[in-house]
Amino acid sequence: MTPTRHAIGLGLRRGWTEFVLSLRSAQDQGFYLFVAVGTLAFLWFNRDNELDGTGLMYPTYALPSILAGLVVFSVIIGPASTLAMEREDGTLLRHKAVPHGMQGYVTGQLVYHSLGLVPMLVTILVPSLLLFDELMHRGAVGWLVLAGALVLGLLATLPLGMLIGAVVPSVSKLGTWGMLPVMLLTAISGIFFPIQALWAWVQVVAQIFPTYWIGLLMRSAFLPDAAATVELGDSWRTGTAVLVLTAWAVAGMLAMPRFLRRMARRQSGSQVQEARDAALQIIK
Amino acid sequence: MRSARPDGPVISVNGLRMSYGQHDVLTGVDLDVRAGEVVCLLGPNGAGKTTTIEILEGFRSPSAGEVRVLGEDPFRAGDAWKARVGVVLQSWRDHARWSPRRLLSHLGGYYAPYSRPERPRPYETEELLHTVGLTEHADRKIGTLSGGQRRRLDVAVGIIGRPELLFLDEPTTGFDPEARRDFHDVVHRLSDLEGTSILLTTHDLAEAERLADRILILAGGRIVANGSAEALAREAAASSEVRWACGEDRFVHATPDVVPFVRRLFEEHGDAITELEVRPASLEDTYIAMVQRHQSGDRTVALTEVAQ
C-alpha cells in the first residue's frame, strides 16, 4: 500500500473518530437540538399557512428548502470554521510535521463534515414526518432523489467550505468571509419563500450559486409533480440542476487542493503562537 | 531516499539569512550538527532562535543561504524526509476531545509505511506513554490535561516516529523540577540508545549544560559562540571563583587564571592553607559575558570559533 493510500485510510478513521467524539459532546448535541427545535418550531407556527394560489401548505414547500439551506450552511461554515480554528490551535501544524499528514487531515475533515449531516437531518426529518401531513409525496423515488440531491449538494459545497477555511485570515474574520455571504445567499435562494418574489436580477444571481439548485432538487424529491408550477419555468429543471451542481463540484475540487497546499505552506509554529497570544489577550 | 553520510553533518547551514520586510532577523548563520550530537541553541529573546529552528524544520523558507538537513533542503523535502525528522510543537488547545492514547496511536500510524527493520516506526503507544509519564492520564480528554502534561504529550508526538533528528523549541517551559528531570532522562535515552541527533533551544542554562554536547549562542542574527560549556567559559575568559582559608581567616578571589593563581597561593602560604575550593565560571556567567560583549559591539572577539 502506498503511503498516500495509507494516509487516506487513516484520514477516514480520523473523520469517523471526530464524528463519534462530536456525538458524545454536550456542545454538539446542543447544537443539533437547537437547529432541530428551531426549524420545527418555525414550521409548526406556519403550519396553517397556504402558499399563495398553489394549494400547497407552507411546511410542505419550506421543509425541503430549509433542509437544503441547512445542508449548505453547515457544509460551508462547518469546515471553514474548523479549518480556521485548527490552523490557529496547532492541529494543522501537527499534521504538517507528519509524513502525508495533510492528506489524512483533509480526508478526515471531508468525512467528518459529511457525517455531521446525518444527525442534523435525522433530528429534523423524523419529527417532521410525525408532526406534518403529506410531506413526502413521491414515496421511494422521492427518498432516492433526496439522497442524490444530498450527495450532489455535498460535493458542490464542501470544497467551498474548505476553500473559505483555507483563505480566511483568522477565526474572528469568519463572520464577514463565511457567515454573511452564505446567509445572504440563503435569503435570496428560494429557501423561505419562492424566488419569484424577488427582482429578476436577484433571481439571476441566485441561480449562479448552488443553494438555489439544491433547494430545487430537494423540492422535486418531496413535492408532487403538479407543484412544479411554483418554480421558475414551471419545471423542476432537474437536468440543469445536476449540471450546475456538478460544475461547482468539479471547480471546487480542482481549486481546493491548491488553496489547501498554500495554506499548509504558510503554516508555522510562530503563527500558532501569535494566535495563542492574541487569544490570551482577549481573555484578559 | 537520500541520506547524509553516517559521519557527515545531519544539519549543515551556510550563510543563512532571513528578513521580514525591512527587518533582518538572521544576518548570516553558519552551523553544523553531526550525527548523534545534542546541540543547544541559546540566545536572548528576538535573536532568531525560533526562526532558525522553523527554517530547519522546513516550516519557513529562508531569504538566502544554504540549508541542508539530512541531506535535503527542508523547505522542499518530501514525506520520506518528514518521516525521519521529529518536531516537538508548542500546542495549546488542539485535539481537546481526543485522549492521549488515541492521538498517539492515530498520529503514529502515519509513520508505519516508513518502518525499517533497524528502525521500527512508530513507537509502541503504551511504551511511549510510559516513557513520557502519561500512562495514568492516557484516557483522559486532552483538553483537561495540565500544562506540564500537555507538554509531555507534545514531546511524545514529536518522537513517535522514532526520528533520526529531533527539534525541540523550548521544550521544558512550564515544567516543574521533577517533570524537567524526567524530560532530561528522555532526551538522554533518545541520544544514547537511539542515536538521535537533537537540536534544542532553551532559556534554562543549567538545562543546556546538562543536555548539550555543544552550545551555540545566537545573538544579533548570527552565531557568536560555538563550543562545549567549558570551552566557552575559557573563550569568554569568565572568572572562576577561588575560596581558601588560612587558619581562622577565609578569603575569596575571582580570577580568569585559576592555576597560576593557586600556584602563587601555595608558594606564599604553603601549609598554612587549610581549605581550598575552586568554582569554575558557570555557563550563565559565560553566556551573559558573551551576549554583553556582542551587544557592546566587540564582534571580532565574540565571533571566534572555539576548538572542541
Side-chain angles (χ1 to χ4, degrees), chain B residues 77-91:
Chain B
D79 291 292
W81 179 87
K82 282 186 195 168
R84 303 169 61 201
V85 174
V87 176
V88 173
L89 300 163
Q90 300 236 23
S91 68

Side-chain angles (χ1 to χ4, degrees), chain B residues 42-79:
Chain B
L42 298 178
N45 283 333
K49 297 190 299 289
T50 298
T51 300
T52 305
I53 287 239
E54 287 196 340
I55 289 169
L56 297 177
E57 289 165 345
F59 288 168
R60 270 173 200 281
S61 176
S63 307
E66 201 203 340
V67 179
R68 288 294 197 202
V69 176
L70 294 176
E72 293 189 50
D73 170 0
F75 194 65
R76 294 188 169 70
D79 291 292

